């Protein structure tokens, strides 16, 4: 059973658009929720880490929120740019285990 | 540059070969991890080391053998692999097991023929 689900699997938007990526998880007893970015053939870069006691984190044009009661997290990207094109993964921590979703492949068209 | 370096970047091996993947972190972290990323599947945790001691083995077949000689270096020794083991193998580190903010290397793209 998929423990972490990301919707949509792929997203294509024009440059400048604001967008939201979704992540849902089945286990509400999480400790942390992280969002990562992965460029093709590369490793992952941590974008935002939300502790379980927090509700959101912001970094530049990125804002991530966490709603443990509904088992959801969203990553909001403002004023998207072609350089934002990548796969975005969310991962939740429960106990000592980090569980990843399959990712959303984002393409921002110039 | 994340501070986590993996070599080689690409590796092609036959099923009877023995090879090793290397990971080195320059961040002063105490926890290191091996993950496997197969096409169209989520990242799978393989092994966790904390202060050089293996703290987690996620039911990984014995043809994968990790080694952590010190907190800065992590190896994954490979022998008699199968074609289905072809994947991107990612190393990561974190300050400790509690913090869980991971820093990833660029990975080794492994192809088993």
């Amino acid at each position: 059973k998929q423990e972490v689900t990301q919707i949509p699997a792929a997203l294509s938007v024009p440059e400048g658009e604001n967008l939201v990526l979704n992540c849902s998880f089945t286990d509400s007893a999480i400790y942390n929720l992280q969002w990562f970015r992965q460029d093709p053939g590369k490793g992952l870069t941590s974008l935002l880490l939300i502790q379980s006691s927090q509700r959101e984190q912001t970094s530049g044009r990125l804002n991530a929120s966490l709603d443990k009661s509904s088992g959801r997290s969203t990553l909001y990207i403002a004023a998207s740019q072609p350089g934002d094109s990548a796969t975005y993964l969310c991962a939740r921590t429960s106990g000592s285990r980090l569980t990843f979703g399959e990712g959303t492949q984002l393409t921002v068209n110039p | 540059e994340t501070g986590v370096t993996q070599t080689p970047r690409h590796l092609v091996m036959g099923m009877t070969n023995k090879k090793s993947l290397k990971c080195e972190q320059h961040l002063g972290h105490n926890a290191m991890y091996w993950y496997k990323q197969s096409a169209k599947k989520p990242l799978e945790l393989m092994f966790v080391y904390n202060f050089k001691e293996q703290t987690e083995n996620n039911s990984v077949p014995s043809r994968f053998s990790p080694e952590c000689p010190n907190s800065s270096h992590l190896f994954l020794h490979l022998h008699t692999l199968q074609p289905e083991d072809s994947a991107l193998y990612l190393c990561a580190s974190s300050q400790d097991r509690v913090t869980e903010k991971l820093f990833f290397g660029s990975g080794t793209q492994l192809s088993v023929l």
Side-chain angles (χ1 to χ4, degrees):
Chain A
K1 180 181 179 182
Q2 185 72 18
E3 296 182 41
V4 180
T5 304
Q6 292 190 242
I7 296 174
L11 180 63
S12 181
V13 300
E15 181 177 5
E17 190 163 301
N18 302 324
L19 58 99
V20 175
L21 307 181
N22 297 291
C23 174
S24 61
F25 39 89
T26 55
D27 183 359
S28 62
I30 69 170
Y31 291 166
N32 302 323
L33 193 292
Q34 295 188 61
W35 283 92
F36 295 85
R37 167 186 173 140
Q38 185 176 29
D39 293 284
K42 299 287 184 63
L44 280 67
T45 300
S46 180
L47 297 173
L48 292 164
L49 167 63
I50 311 176
Q51 306 281 354
S52 63
S53 59
Q54 300 172 325
R55 302 199 66 170
E56 67 177 337
Q57 282 287 323
T58 298
S59 176
R61 294 182 293 109
L62 306 180
N63 176 276
S65 65
L66 174 61
D67 184 343
K68 291 171 57 179
S69 61
S70 64
R72 293 182 181 181
S73 176
T74 61
L75 178 66
Y76 175 82
I77 302 177
S80 58
Q81 303 171 357
D84 295 330
S85 298
T87 297
Y88 290 81
L89 300 107
C90 69
R92 68 121 173 90
T93 302
S94 180
S96 61
R97 181 65 61 91
L98 196 68
T99 303
F100 285 83
E102 293 186 7
T104 293
Q105 186 173 346
L106 173 65
T107 303
V108 181
N109 301 300
Chain B
E1 179 60 49
T2 64
V4 180
T5 304
Q6 288 187 244
T7 54
R9 290 296 312 277
H10 303 273
L11 179 62
V12 179
M13 59 187 290
M15 290 189 285
T16 59
N17 293 157
K18 291 184 179 181
K19 297 287 184 183
S20 296
L21 310 184
K22 179 181 177 181
C23 177
E24 183 175 1
Q25 56 97 359
H26 309 277
L27 302 169
H29 289 169
N30 297 310
M32 296 188 76
Y33 312 76
W34 279 116
Y35 279 87
K36 175 183 178 181
Q37 188 176 34
S38 304
K40 306 298 183 184
K41 293 177 66 176
L43 270 78
E44 302 172 61
L45 178 66
M46 300 177 72
F47 301 103
V48 181
Y49 277 81
N50 197 33
F51 292 95
K52 302 187 301 179
E53 298 297 321
Q54 186 181 124
T55 58
E56 194 155 348
N57 177 337
N58 193 23
S59 302
V60 181
S62 59
R63 57 186 184 269
F64 295 91
S65 175
E67 178 189 2
C68 188
N70 54 61
S71 292
S72 300
H73 294 84
L74 185 65
F75 296 89
L76 187 63
H77 304 300
L78 316 172
H79 63 96
T80 60
L81 294 191
Q82 305 298 311
E84 59 264 30
D85 296 322
S86 298
L88 180 67
Y89 289 85
L90 292 162
C91 172
S93 70
S94 64
Q95 182 61 49
D96 50 50
R97 288 292 286 130
V98 175
T99 304
E100 286 282 12
K101 182 174 172 61
L102 299 182
F103 293 78
F104 280 84
S106 297
T108 295
Q109 186 66 54
L110 174 67
S111 297
V112 182
L113 305 179

